Amino acid sequence: MHELLKRIVFVCLALLFMAGFWQPTAEAGLISKDQEISMGRDVAKELEKKYGLVDDAQLQERIQKIGMSLVKVSERQDLPYTFKVLNSKEVNALAVPGGFIYVFKGLVDLMPDDDELAGVIGHEVGHVVKRHSVKQMEKSLGMGLLFSILFGDRGVPLQSLAYQVLMAGYSRDDEREADQLGFVHSFKAGYNPYGMAMGLRKLANTNQNYHPDLFSSHPEANSRVEKVLGYARDAGVRPFVDEGAKQVKDGTWSLPPFKTAVDGQEPVFRAFAAAGAIYRARSSAGFSSERYVPDSDGTQFYIYYNERRIMTIAESEAAAYGVSQEELMERYLEALRRY
């Protein structure tokens, strides 16, 4: 009897909807968590069937590890999150409702660094946390789908609508909110606080036409980078990066500028990586500038703080300065110990 009464109420609401007196909104909660997970699992299976997964257990484990570290600091941990790499050269990522998150192999190739990937994956976690796709689906529920939810046959229409919403992309407001959460998640999880800005800068410089998610607001990609850098400043992250000079600075203090690409990282990205690593070192318990130490593998020279690599000094950079690698490393060390 109770179930019959519920259906009568829902039918009345549906009739009001038809008459134009009621509109389903994102707050209506038409889609439960269990439905979200169920339809998400179906869409995830379709994506894996369409693209296939990268046959690299170590890479899949790495992405899962990064993703779960972000989930642990998020505001929504009650989902069966999975993080996988799809076998596609597209530079993209997708957050399927229910916590099924995918990055494309092309994105991993563009961002080999965990700190950059963490920002982008944190962005996708943000979409799930805020139920962006689910809310869009609830707004889009038509009369036929509403009745199918009330009286059965839920899986197929919800799965179809979920896929359509994913392919359509997000609103700019949703993207901005996910960007903010991408920074918050990666920052709280202990990654380089400039990692997300670095990743977005790479995306802004990438010339490609993929539409879903990451590029649905591509025309304002550079402004997204500036907003994320603003989040870092608001969080008290120092030192800063002078992108024009490719130099790490804070007031009158600075490191020698980065002049060459090393291991595929352009100078400006090396500056951001170093600035974020310095922030993390200085934020660690018992910080002492004397713990910056040099190291070498016989070809390249490095500076570490405890186990964290601060920077790499390559032969090409030393040549750009007209000095030996050892001499340039000492310049960086001296500057770090003065900060």
Side-chain angles (χ1 to χ4, degrees):
M1 187 68 178
H2 178 67
E3 184 63 28
L4 178 61
L5 181 60
K6 283 175 62 179
R7 291 198 175 193
I8 291 173
V9 171
F10 271 113
V11 169
C12 290
L13 289 174
L15 292 173
L16 286 173
F17 168 65
M18 289 183 68
F21 294 109
W22 180 77
Q23 293 291 329
T25 66
E27 289 73 29
L30 297 177
I31 298 173
S32 70
K33 184 181 77 172
D34 288 344
Q35 287 175 311
E36 177 186 358
I37 294 170
S38 177
M39 68 180 173
R41 186 174 286 115
D42 290 338
V43 173
K45 289 178 181 177
E46 289 300 313
L47 285 172
E48 292 182 22
K49 181 179 178 181
K50 178 179 179 180
Y51 294 102
L53 297 177
V54 172
D55 185 16
D56 184 336
Q58 188 174 7
L59 174 60
Q60 298 289 358
E61 182 180 352
R62 174 186 160 210
I63 297 302
Q64 176 72 10
K65 183 178 179 180
I66 293 173
M68 291 310 299
S69 72
L70 300 166
V71 170
K72 288 178 182 178
V73 297
S74 77
E75 296 179 353
R76 193 180 186 200
Q77 302 178 28
D78 60 339
L79 295 172
Y81 285 93
T82 60
F83 300 84
K84 299 179 182 180
V85 185
L86 293 175
N87 191 20
S88 169
K89 293 182 180 180
E90 291 184 21
V91 179
N92 212 346
L94 288 172
V96 178
F100 306 93
I101 294 175
Y102 294 92
V103 296
F104 290 66
K105 182 60 165 56
L107 182 71
V108 178
D109 292 339
L110 181 68
M111 301 180 191
D113 188 88
D114 283 6
D115 295 301
E116 296 171 358
L117 285 172
V120 174
I121 296 172
H123 168 107
E124 300 303 326
V125 173
H127 282 309
V128 175
V129 167
K130 292 299 181 180
R131 300 176 74 248
H132 287 154
S133 293
V134 176
K135 288 178 180 179
Q136 185 58 44
M137 290 172 63
E138 289 173 338
K139 289 179 181 179
S140 302
L141 285 173
M143 201 57 226
L145 183 56
L146 181 57
F147 271 106
S148 69
I149 290 176
L150 296 179
F151 298 107
D153 190 25
R154 304 179 181 191
V156 174
L158 283 178
Q159 177 189 345
S160 177
L161 183 56
Y163 198 87
Q164 292 173 25
V165 167
L166 281 176
M167 293 302 103
Y170 299 100
S171 71
R172 291 190 174 187
D173 285 343
D174 285 351
E175 289 286 22
R176 291 189 187 101
E177 188 170 39
D179 279 350
Q180 184 175 20
L181 287 175
F183 171 79
V184 170
H185 293 151
S186 57
F187 182 69
K188 286 184 175 180
Y191 291 96
N192 188 313
Y194 292 118
M196 184 172 185
M198 293 159 61
L200 286 177
R201 183 71 80 199
K202 285 186 176 181
L203 289 173
N205 295 338
T206 300
N207 181 24
Q208 53 89 44
N209 298 313
Y210 304 121
H211 180 66
D213 196 7
L214 292 178
F215 290 87
S216 62
S217 56
H218 185 66
E220 58 174 20
N222 287 317
S223 69
R224 291 172 71 185
V225 174
E226 294 307 315
K227 285 183 182 296
V228 172
L229 290 175
Y231 302 147
R233 287 192 296 271
D234 293 343
V237 176
R238 300 165 56 192
F240 313 105
V241 174
D242 181 334
E243 294 191 52
K246 302 171 181 62
Q247 189 173 23
V248 180
K249 294 181 175 182
D250 190 359
T252 59
W253 174 87
S254 65
L255 285 179
F258 292 92
K259 292 189 174 184
T260 65
V262 174
D263 296 330
Q265 285 279 61
E266 294 298 321
V268 67
F269 295 110
R270 293 180 59 216
F272 274 117
I278 293 168
Y279 169 80
R280 286 299 179 194
R282 289 171 58 83
S283 301
S284 61
F287 169 78
S288 169
S289 61
E290 296 306 312
R291 292 184 183 175
Y292 288 115
V293 296
D295 195 10
S296 175
D297 62 5
T299 302
Q300 300 199 134
F301 287 74
Y302 311 96
I303 296 175
Y304 283 87
Y305 184 88
N306 292 340
E307 300 299 315
R308 184 183 296 273
R309 184 182 296 180
I310 304 298
M311 66 183 67
T312 301
I313 296 94
E315 184 177 1
S316 60
E317 187 137 56
Y321 274 95
V323 298
S324 69
Q325 285 171 277
E326 294 95 329
E327 289 175 300
L328 183 57
M329 182 175 64
E330 286 301 321
R331 291 187 190 182
Y332 280 111
L333 270 173
E334 192 276 331
L336 285 168
R337 287 169 178 162
R338 277 192 293 106
Y339 183 44

